[in-house]
Amino acid sequence: MADQPDLDAAEFVLGTLDPEERRAFLLRLAREPDLARAVSAWRERLAPLGLAAPDVAPPAGLWPRIEQAIGAAPAAANDDRPLRRWKAGALAASLLALVTTGLALRPRTEPMMHGSLAALTEQGGTPAVLVAYDPKREMLKVMPVAIPPQAGRSLQLWLMAEGTAPESIGMLTPGMTPMIRRMPLDPARRLVFAVSVEPAGGSPTGRPTGRIAWSGRMMPMATGT
Amino acid sequence: MSEASLEELLVATGQGDAAAFHTLYRRTSAKLYGMILRILPDRQQAEDAMQESYVRVWRNAAGYDAARGRPLTWLAAIARNAAIDRRRAESARGDGRLAPLEPALLVTGADGASPELLAALAACLGRLEEGMRELILAAYVHGDSREELAQRLGRPVGTIKTWLHRGLASLKACLDG
C-alpha cells in the first residue's frame, strides 16, 4: 500500500512537488532514513522510463567545457609520481606532527606558502578531519582523524569559498584512507571546509541539507611548522 | 580487451581519476543527453544541464555506493534533477516550452534500461487509466510541473495531485506485486 509519505517520495522523484513542498520534503529526507529508502525505491521503479530515451550525441565542444568547469587538464594515465612526491614531502611530515599533537594551527607573521591546512572541528575542539592543500601540484588531501560512525547517514565534505555556492568534495567514512583530489584552489581566498550530516548516500540536492558537524578555515602553513 | 565497467569508472572518478571520468563521459553522455533533451528541447539549455550534471558527477562520485543501484541509474538521476531544476527556472521566467508528448520509445542497449524492468513498467503503465498514464509519462519523461500537467491535460491543478497519487499508488501495487 502506498501511504502519504511514500506518495510524497514518488512525487519528489517525479519532480512534481511545488518549491515549498520540495523544501519541506528535503528537510524530512535529511532526518528520515525510511524516506530516503522510499525515494530510492521510486527511482528504481521509474528509471527504465528515463533510460529508454534514444541516445543523442552531444556536441563536441561540451566535453572541454566540462573539463574546464571541474578544473582538470587532460590527465596522463597511471602517473602517480606527483602522489609519491606528496607522500614524501615536508607537508606530509608537518601534518603527521599535527595529528599526533592535536594542536590547532597558528599562522606565523611571515608565512611562506609551503601549503595550506584546514583543521575541521566542532567549535574549536579536537580536529575530526584535516584538509591540506599543495598549491604547486594543485592537490587536495583529506585526512579523517576522528570520525564517529553515523548509522544510516553519510558525512559529506564541502568547500565553501566566499561568494560561491558550496561545492561537494566527497564522502567521508570512519577508517577511510586519505582522499586525494586534483583541484585548483586559490588559498589566498577565504576557504572554509565543512562536513555535513546527510541522508545515506549524500545530499540529494548538490547542497548541504543536514547539520554541519565540523568546519574549519584553510590557513597557510609556514615551512618547518 | 576488456572494458572497465561503469561502476569501476565511477569509483575511479570518485578518487580523482580524470581519465576514467572522461571514459565515463564518452560511454554515458549520449544517453544522458537524450534524456535531458526530452525535458529541455532547447539545445542550449540542454547543454547547460549536461555540463551541470557531469560537474555534479565529478564532485559526488566518491559518494556513489553500488548498494544503492546501478551506476547508470545514479547518473540518470543526477541528469534528470539538473534538467528539471533548469526547466523550473526557465518556466519561472516564462521561457519554457512544453515538449510534444510522444509515447516513451522502448530503446534498450548494452547500457540502457534492462529489458525485463522496462517490460514490467510498460505493462503496469498499460494497466492504468489513460489520463493517469499520460500524467506520469509527461511528468517523468518531459519533466512537466503540476501546472504544466494541468495545462497539457486541460484540467484544474487541484485534481492533478489526486490523479498522480492514484496513478502512482496503482503503479506501485502492480510493480511490487
Side-chain angles (χ1 to χ4, degrees):
Chain A
M1 271 301 267
D3 58 8
Q4 188 55 46
D6 190 69
L7 291 169
D8 286 342
E11 278 211 83
F12 174 72
V13 170
L14 221 47
T16 52
L17 293 178
D18 68 40
E20 193 44 59
E21 288 171 337
R22 188 178 157 82
R23 255 192 297 276
F25 186 82
L26 286 170
L27 286 174
R28 290 176 54 201
L29 196 57
R31 294 192 204 110
E32 298 172 36
D34 283 351
L35 210 51
R37 274 189 281 275
V39 167
S40 284
W42 276 108
R43 278 205 181 118
E44 287 298 328
R45 281 185 200 108
L46 295 171
L49 278 182
L51 293 174
D55 287 9
V56 177
L62 181 59
W63 171 250
R65 279 173 57 187
I66 293 169
E67 238 181 347
Q68 189 171 44
I70 67 174
N78 299 320
D79 180 3
D80 67 344
R81 278 174 290 132
L83 287 183
R84 280 191 254 123
R85 272 201 293 272
W86 170 278
K87 284 173 183 163
L91 182 58
S94 305
L95 291 166
L96 190 59
L98 202 76
V99 167
T100 51
T101 59
L103 290 174
L105 182 70
R106 280 183 291 277
R108 298 213 177 144
T109 47
E110 292 165 322
M112 290 163 66
M113 290 298 292
H114 189 74
S116 304
L117 182 73
L120 309 196
T121 69
E122 187 183 329
Q123 314 225 355
T126 310
V129 182
L130 296 174
V131 181
Y133 187 66
D134 179 345
K136 229 166 19 138
R137 287 173 209 100
E138 295 188 338
M139 293 287 209
L140 191 77
K141 187 170 183 181
V142 180
M143 290 151 290
V145 174
I147 293 189
Q150 309 276 328
R153 296 271 183 271
S154 290
L155 294 172
Q156 190 158 3
L157 176 66
W158 305 86
L159 165 62
M160 326 253 201
E162 204 160 29
T164 60
E167 183 184 317
S168 174
I169 309 288
M171 314 301 293
L172 307 181
T173 51
M176 66 184 259
T177 56
M179 179 199 302
I180 295 172
R181 293 282 299 271
R182 173 99 196 284
M183 203 168 169
L185 285 181
D186 180 4
R189 290 180 72 194
R190 187 191 158 84
L191 302 174
V192 172
F193 290 85
V195 177
S196 68
V197 183
E198 299 292 338
S203 163
T205 67
R207 302 260 191 278
T209 67
R211 72 176 180 89
I212 301 294
W214 311 287
S215 66
R217 188 178 158 190
M218 185 153 266
M219 309 285 269
M221 289 181 71
T223 327
T225 302
Chain B
M1 180 178 84
S2 71
E3 269 190 337
S5 70
L6 286 185
E7 184 173 339
E8 287 164 345
L9 292 171
L10 204 42
V11 168
T13 299
Q15 291 166 349
D17 184 340
F21 179 55
H22 191 189
T23 305
L24 184 70
Y25 173 83
R26 281 200 303 266
R27 293 260 300 268
T28 60
S29 54
K31 175 62 69 183
L32 264 48
Y33 194 49
M35 285 179 55
I36 288 175
L37 278 170
R38 297 199 302 187
I39 296 172
L40 293 167
D42 178 306
R43 295 244 163 178
Q44 185 58 58
Q45 293 172 17
E47 284 170 39
D48 289 348
M50 277 288 278
Q51 180 181 327
E52 176 63 30
S53 300
Y54 278 93
V55 169
R56 287 186 194 176
V57 168
W58 171 256
R59 289 179 183 161
N60 292 288
Y64 170 72
D65 172 6
R68 295 196 301 123
R70 296 164 58 226
L72 193 58
T73 309
W74 187 79
L75 291 168
I78 289 180
R80 193 164 173 280
N81 285 340
I84 298 236
D85 284 350
R86 180 96 204 196
R87 187 191 160 101
R88 297 288 179 259
E90 294 296 329
S91 61
R93 280 203 284 275
D95 293 353
R97 294 163 20 191
L98 287 180
L101 185 62
E102 294 157 17
L105 299 175
L106 304 183
V107 175
T108 58
D111 285 334
S114 101
E116 296 81 18
L117 290 178
L118 191 56
L121 185 55
C124 288
L125 280 170
R127 293 212 195 129
L128 295 179
E129 294 172 37
E130 168 134 8
M132 287 182 195
R133 180 168 64 248
E134 227 182 303
L135 276 186
I136 291 175
L137 285 179
Y140 196 81
V141 172
H142 295 300
D144 278 8
S145 65
R146 274 193 212 137
E147 287 74 20
E148 285 164 343
L149 289 171
Q151 184 188 329
R152 199 191 273 280
L153 273 64
R155 297 282 168 187
V157 176
T159 61
I160 296 296
K161 181 169 172 170
T162 314
W163 280 20
L164 271 176
H165 283 201
R166 291 221 312 254
L168 290 164
S170 301
L171 196 60
K172 177 179 175 176
C174 177
L175 285 171
D176 291 4

